[in-house]
Amino acid sequence: MKPNEILDCLELMFPNAQCELCHKNAYELTIAVVLSAQTTDVSVNKVTPVLFEKYPTPFDLAKADCKDVEECIRTLGLYRNKAKNIIGLAKGLVEKYNGIVPDTREQLTALDGVGRKSANVILSVCFDVPALAVDTHVERVTKRLGLVKANATVLETEKTLMKKLPKYRWNRAHHLFIFFGRYHCKAQKPLCEECPFTSICKEK
């Protein structure tokens, strides 16, 4: 099965695949993406409404007391570190970009708490820049489907997918792989009996 055929199949399975982090603008998504490290989107969506009500702009968050921010996101893993990161991120936005989220990977990854994967999500979702964000779901399922070598690093996985998939499909592919990994090809109990990819699956 060719890469494009895999994506076509996933489109039929998950026509509504999209970013599941609730946000109204680039600032909110950027903060949510940083908070989502090593935790679920569902958990992040539970804390961000209160956080953004208290700190609706980067200017507000940049002046926030770290303890107050910690209290807002206390239910998330690594919340102390994340509180420090998002305040630092907001300060960076205010000091360097007048509170506006930049639209290049280099500028984004220079902000506190924003790594390559997070930058790719922001570029893809907010600015429609072709990018492939490789999270645990994307890495797991693309290896199971034989699109990427089993021992590939996260960066190697991203670069391999960029070569194999047409650029115009990168942004959709990211969400399709995530939905497939989150709701079908799960880490613990994959739904193999109902899977259209058993013939190419490397786990079988």
Side-chain angles (χ1 to χ4, degrees):
M1 196 179 268
K2 292 177 181 174
N4 259 333
E5 292 172 329
I6 291 173
L7 290 183
D8 289 344
C9 194
L10 289 174
E11 284 282 12
L12 293 174
M13 292 174 73
F14 304 105
N16 299 316
Q18 61 182 338
C19 177
E20 292 192 297
L21 288 167
C22 297
H23 64 282
K24 298 192 194 80
N25 51 51
Y27 157 66
E28 289 190 1
L29 180 67
T30 302
I31 298 300
V33 168
V34 172
L35 294 178
S36 72
Q38 297 179 319
T39 192
T40 65
D41 289 0
V42 172
S43 300
V44 174
N45 290 339
K46 286 177 182 173
V47 304
T48 47
V50 173
L51 182 73
F52 295 141
E53 191 176 343
K54 287 189 80 170
Y55 310 107
T57 71
F59 297 93
D60 300 304
L61 187 55
K63 295 181 288 190
D65 179 80
C66 198
K67 291 292 180 193
D68 289 342
V69 175
E70 284 179 13
E71 203 53 47
C72 290
I73 64 170
R74 183 174 288 277
T75 55
L76 301 180
L78 309 172
Y79 72 92
R80 286 194 179 91
N81 201 38
K82 288 178 180 178
K84 202 189 314 175
N85 275 340
I86 63 172
I87 292 171
L89 191 162
K91 285 178 179 173
L93 289 178
V94 170
E95 290 163 10
K96 296 177 187 172
Y97 307 110
N98 198 31
I100 297 168
V101 176
D103 61 359
T104 72
R105 185 181 289 110
E106 293 71 29
Q107 291 171 315
L108 286 166
T109 52
L111 296 167
D112 287 7
V114 181
R116 186 181 178 90
K117 182 202 81 173
S118 298
N120 283 348
V121 173
I122 298 159
L123 290 171
S124 165
V125 175
C126 290
F127 302 108
D128 206 26
V129 173
L132 271 159
V134 178
D135 70 353
T136 53
H137 295 299
V138 175
E139 185 177 11
R140 184 178 71 257
V141 302
T142 55
K143 287 178 178 180
R144 282 183 175 175
L145 295 173
L147 288 169
V148 180
K149 289 179 182 174
N151 61 352
T153 64
V154 171
L155 186 57
E156 286 167 347
T157 298
E158 181 188 333
K159 291 191 170 176
T160 300
L161 292 174
M162 286 167 74
K163 284 179 189 167
K164 289 190 174 181
L165 304 176
K167 195 171 187 178
Y168 76 92
R169 299 192 80 166
W170 288 359
N171 290 354
R172 281 292 293 161
H174 160 71
H175 297 304
L176 292 169
F177 288 136
I178 286 178
F179 266 57
F180 182 55
R182 189 174 282 164
Y183 301 113
H184 193 102
C185 189
K186 304 171 190 176
Q188 299 304 323
K189 292 184 178 177
L191 307 177
C192 300
E193 297 77 18
E194 307 157 32
C195 187
F197 304 116
T198 48
S199 62
I200 60 171
C201 181
K202 300 299 181 185
E203 293 283 309
K204 297 298 281 181

